[in-house]
Amino acid sequence: MNIRRVLITSALVGATLLWTVTIGAMYRAIRQFESTPGRAADALGSWPASSRIPRAPGQWRLVMLVHPHCSCSRASIDELRRIIEKSPASLETYVVVYRPKEFPNGWEKTDVFTAASHLPRTHIVLDNDGHEASIFHGFTSGQTFLYDGDGRLRFSGGITLLRGHAGFNSGSAEVMQIARTREGNGAHPVFGCAINK
Amino acid sequence: MNENDSSITARAAQLRDEQLFERRKRIDRMFAVLLVVQYLAGIIGALTVSPYAWEGKVKVLHTHVWVAILGGGGIIILPILLAMLRPGTTLTRHVIAASQMLSSALLIHLTGGRIETHFHVFGSLAFLAFYLDWPVLITATVIVAADHFLRGIFWPESVYGVANPEWWRFLEHAGWVVFEDIFLVWSCVLGQREVVKSAMKQAEVEHLSEQEQLKSAALEMAMAEMQAAS
């Protein structure tokens, strides 16, 4: 009888400790995962000439790199939609969708791809093996570049506050501000899966 | 109060305690099952919504899946053990209430602060009211308010779905919880009164039955004595 009581008490004490530690660790793990930014782009100061994306003089360009299987990038696409809807109609947007050569055609057709293809005034560029991402010196899904009519880089970074969380944040606000007023420069941490790792 | 009244009252209190204990044991077990179901739902949800994080060409299990498996498992282990080993106790009820609210918080997080998932909190409070023990609702409310307050400061999107909520937003959420609590506390008090009333009736019936049995026994004894005398 005493042994049973000791076993029960030990199990309950152990479970209490596990319960307390788990709750703390869980909050910490989630916080760390979602607030740790990806590698920032070593973006060039001007439009990369070797890019497949066409550039017309005087035309502002918004380019986003996307890993189609990155679930966090759904939030980036949501934010991109908000930016497009609140920016001048002359702003051309390109979503560059990563596809490694090892994967078959159609691998990139995910909900992120579908959401991107439904964005207004947006062109989808299939990026075989991350070649285009390399040209832009971008490494993280959700990385966004805004180039002005002269091809100068005006914004580089992410447009979400955390990994996988859509909503108002200073990154997307800066892009909207620059695209609307055509003044200033900006940068913001980028949150998403790695491209070209 | 005569001797009969006090024995009826004492018996009624005993019956009330027994009825509440049995009821709460049953609800503890129901919650143990519910916690497991929610745990599995959290894992299935995480596997469906965001199964993998990608590092270029390499996919790894998403942190949300690990959180659902390990974090969710850690949340439910203590209440389930208590429900099995110490059912019906006050401690078990309060731990279950806290764990149920933590499960709500986890589900809210896994769905990216989706406002619809907040309904889980309200459903859980209603279920906790089945205990007919209103302090349990206070424990649940404190946990959910603390979670919203802390996450609202450090990490607002995971709980409200927006990045820049007003500082008082947690009070708005907690306010609706308190709104529900008012009615649930009231229902707990009324429910307890019903249990007391029914226990009192049962005690009175038992007392009357005992009195009848005593009278019958006395009558039978008197009849036997009369027969023996004649």
Side-chain angles (χ1 to χ4, degrees):
Chain A
M1 194 65 184
N2 274 345
I3 292 175
R4 189 169 179 269
R5 183 177 283 183
V6 168
L7 283 175
I8 289 174
T9 308
S10 308
L12 290 177
V13 169
T16 306
L17 285 174
L18 187 64
W19 190 66
T20 314
V21 169
T22 303
I23 291 162
M26 185 180 74
Y27 275 85
R28 194 165 181 274
I30 296 172
R31 174 80 186 151
Q32 195 166 358
F33 172 76
E34 299 201 339
S35 61
T36 304
R39 184 176 167 188
D42 302 326
L44 304 170
S46 57
W47 183 267
S50 54
S51 171
R52 279 198 292 134
I53 300 172
R55 196 190 78 80
Q59 185 94 55
W60 283 58
R61 290 274 190 274
L62 189 59
V63 178
M64 178 187 273
L65 309 180
V66 160
H67 191 307
H69 286 266
C70 177
S71 55
C72 319
S73 296
R74 289 175 201 140
S76 297
I77 298 291
D78 285 348
E79 281 306 296
L80 187 59
R81 173 183 295 280
R82 233 160 49 84
I83 291 171
I84 294 167
E85 285 169 354
K86 291 183 178 176
S87 296
S90 57
L91 181 71
E92 288 276 320
T93 306
Y94 291 83
V95 176
V96 179
V97 180
Y98 171 65
R99 189 182 72 195
K101 63 175 184 235
E102 291 86 348
F103 292 98
N105 282 346
W107 174 85
E108 71 283 359
K109 298 282 173 63
T110 62
D111 57 338
V112 173
F113 182 94
T114 308
S117 59
H118 285 120
L119 290 171
R121 306 196 305 276
T122 300
H123 309 272
I124 303 292
V125 176
L126 200 56
D127 186 17
N128 285 312
D129 225 22
H131 183 67
E132 201 67 28
S134 304
I135 288 172
F136 279 91
H137 295 256
F139 308 98
T140 304
S141 185
Q143 173 73 47
T144 305
F145 306 98
L146 177 66
Y147 291 91
D148 66 16
D150 297 324
R152 282 177 308 198
L153 181 67
R154 304 295 287 269
F155 175 89
S156 171
I159 53 173
T160 60
L161 183 71
L162 296 167
R163 260 187 106 136
H165 289 285
F168 178 83
N169 66 90
S170 56
S172 60
E174 276 186 7
V175 175
M176 276 188 267
Q177 172 83 1
I178 298 165
R180 270 208 306 261
T181 62
R182 314 236 149 174
E183 284 175 5
N185 292 288
H188 192 261
V190 57
F191 297 93
C193 303
I195 294 175
N196 265 349
K197 184 137 183 177
Chain B
M1 188 183 281
N2 62 33
E3 198 181 318
N4 280 348
D5 285 346
S6 69
S7 77
I8 291 171
T9 309
R11 175 63 183 151
Q14 187 192 358
L15 285 169
R16 178 203 62 199
D17 291 347
E18 280 172 13
Q19 282 176 20
L20 284 174
F21 184 67
E22 285 306 315
R23 177 194 183 96
R24 287 165 179 169
K25 262 168 67 175
R26 236 183 4 256
I27 295 167
D28 284 345
R29 291 192 185 115
M30 284 162 70
F31 262 114
V33 173
L34 178 66
L35 285 164
V36 172
V37 171
Q38 288 170 172
Y39 171 60
L40 296 175
I43 294 172
I44 291 167
L47 285 170
T48 308
V49 177
S50 49
Y52 301 109
W54 286 73
E55 298 288 335
K57 301 164 190 177
V58 182
K59 62 179 176 183
V60 291
L61 214 53
H62 200 285
T63 301
H64 281 176
V65 178
W66 286 117
V67 165
I69 294 170
L70 300 176
I75 285 173
I76 66 169
I77 191 162
L78 180 62
I80 287 176
L81 273 179
L82 283 168
M84 285 161 54
L85 302 172
R86 296 274 185 273
T89 63
T90 306
L91 175 68
T92 301
R93 282 197 291 287
H94 285 272
V95 171
I96 283 177
S99 301
Q100 183 63 17
M101 289 300 120
L102 289 168
S103 295
S104 294
L106 179 59
L107 291 173
I108 289 169
H109 172 78
L110 291 175
T111 54
R114 207 178 150 78
I115 208 75
E116 289 80 358
T117 320
H118 287 68
F119 289 114
H120 187 268
V121 172
F122 298 102
S124 299
L125 285 169
F127 193 11
L128 287 168
F130 285 17
Y131 278 122
L132 300 184
D133 186 19
W134 63 264
V136 168
L137 297 169
I138 305 301
T139 298
T141 303
V142 167
I143 294 288
V144 80
D147 171 71
H148 275 59
F149 175 66
L150 292 173
R151 282 204 283 163
I153 289 175
F154 297 112
W155 198 5
E157 291 203 340
S158 76
V159 66
Y160 301 121
V162 293
N164 306 86
E166 302 80 0
W167 69 267
W168 44 263
R169 181 70 74 90
F170 85 99
L171 287 175
E172 187 181 339
H173 282 233
W176 286 114
V177 170
V178 170
F179 176 74
E180 187 183 359
D181 279 347
I182 291 167
F183 299 100
L184 293 177
V185 167
W186 186 29
S187 79
C188 285
V189 172
L190 290 180
Q192 280 234 29
R193 274 189 205 158
E194 286 300 315
V195 173
V196 169
K197 216 184 274 180
S198 125
M200 185 58 95
K201 270 185 191 156
Q202 195 179 331
E204 281 168 358
V205 169
E206 281 180 9
H207 181 72
L208 285 173
S209 167
E210 273 171 28
Q211 295 291 314
E212 286 303 314
Q213 277 173 6
L214 286 173
K215 276 183 193 166
S216 301
L219 195 62
E220 276 172 23
M221 202 182 285
M223 297 266 287
E225 280 171 7
M226 277 170 67
Q227 276 176 356
S230 62

